[in-house]
Amino acid sequence: MPNVDIRGFIFDLDGVLTDTAEYHYLAWQKLADEAGIPFNREKNEALRGVSRRASLMLIIGDRPYSEDQIQEMMARKNSYYVQMIENITAKDLLPGAIALLHELRQAKIKIAIASGSKNARTVITKLGIADLIDSLADGYSVQKAKPAPDLFLYAAHQLDLNPSQCVVVEDAAAGVEAALDGGMWAIGIGPVERVGKAHIVLPNLAGVTWKDLQFRFIHKLSTS
Ligand code: BG6
Ligand code: MG
């Protein structure tokens, strides 16, 4: 039986540590409404964890927009999003997030945040968790966005760990796919229909402890 030798946690940000996924959705909804393009929460599910440009492409489909228009729409969506996150604080951390970060630090587990967002650094600073992490991989770090494993591999490298020593915590199907493709352990946050491919699926981080997760990973290995 292979060893479970977890030394690092790589957290996605939007939808895992804080509910900015909702603001991304609201900003896209505003843009789609202005452009007269049908869009709703259900369609937004396909955008979860997806880069800014790829998200816009999914919204516009085969409608013929020029590159200039695409650039303008991406900038406009981002300005709505930046406005929406203006007033976030530590109160916007999702339940259980801070306790788990503290427990991991105490256990000397390395921590990275790997988010495809170019706004990740701002969000982390506003949430007051910059001092709790060892590394940040964001929308500026790699070329290929999730579902490519590049961002998580970059984060593991930053932590000086092998992929198999890292657990990725993700709320997006694209992120779980990226983690598995990168040879990492995956914890999916959300419904099984979305993150069911992860090794462990949890509804959220409330009450989640490193102690319990360790047990579950070991149990997972012994039964697989
Ligand atoms: C991801 C979000 O973290 O970042 C996506 O889950 C978002 O919804 C992507 O599109 C890019 O973010 P930004 O802030 O650079 O537009
Ligand atoms: Mg996410």
Side-chain angles (χ1 to χ4, degrees):
M1 189 173 69
N3 263 337
V4 189
D5 179 26
I6 294 166
R7 305 284 179 93
F9 263 62
I10 303 175
F11 289 91
D12 173 50
L13 178 65
D14 299 323
V16 170
L17 297 177
T18 182
D19 203 10
T20 38
E22 176 68 9
Y23 296 136
H24 278 295
Y25 159 65
L26 292 172
W28 284 126
Q29 183 71 62
K30 187 166 157 64
L31 184 100
D33 290 348
E34 286 166 354
I37 301 173
F39 186 64
N40 55 31
R41 260 179 206 284
E42 202 187 326
K43 289 189 179 150
N44 182 66
E45 278 303 296
L47 273 55
R48 204 174 264 270
V50 172
S51 75
R52 195 183 305 173
R53 190 184 180 92
S55 296
L56 180 59
M57 293 305 148
L58 287 171
I59 292 172
I60 63 180
D62 54 11
R63 291 172 185 81
Y65 286 104
S66 69
E67 180 57 28
D68 279 357
Q69 285 173 311
I70 287 170
Q71 291 296 336
E72 186 279 323
M73 288 165 108
M74 286 198 295
R76 184 147 42 103
K77 181 270 174 178
N78 192 54
S79 73
Y80 298 150
Y81 179 70
V82 167
Q83 245 174 317
M84 288 172 188
I85 61 170
E86 178 65 32
N87 296 320
I88 64 170
T89 67
K91 289 198 182 101
D92 293 279
L93 281 161
L94 285 167
I98 200 82
L100 182 58
L101 289 173
H102 280 304
E103 190 194 0
L104 289 170
R105 276 196 86 76
Q106 248 175 5
K108 305 258 182 296
I109 299 290
K110 291 181 183 172
I111 303 173
I113 289 178
S115 162
S117 173
K118 291 185 166 148
N119 295 293
R121 192 173 291 278
T122 307
V123 171
I124 288 164
T125 305
K126 283 178 185 290
L127 292 172
I129 54 171
D131 292 346
L132 292 178
I133 64 170
D134 299 296
S135 170
L136 166 66
D138 65 10
Y140 296 102
S141 303
V142 297
Q143 288 289 321
K144 279 166 102 185
K146 302 170 194 176
D150 302 34
L151 192 69
F152 292 141
L153 292 174
Y154 176 94
H157 186 73
Q158 294 279 105
L159 295 179
D160 206 14
L161 296 175
N162 295 321
S164 63
Q165 295 176 306
C166 297
V167 176
V168 167
V169 189
E170 255 294 346
D171 70 314
V176 170
E177 196 182 323
L180 298 179
D181 214 20
M184 296 165 190
W185 296 98
I187 298 177
I189 303 292
V192 172
E193 302 78 52
R194 192 168 79 211
V195 292
K197 289 194 181 144
H199 298 100
I200 293 175
V201 175
L202 303 168
N204 50 54
L205 291 180
V208 173
T209 65
W210 167 226
K211 217 172 152 196
D212 179 48
L213 288 175
Q214 264 174 303
F215 175 81
R216 289 185 63 168
F217 275 117
I218 291 165
H219 178 72
K220 184 92 203 164
L221 265 189
S222 63
T223 55
S224 61

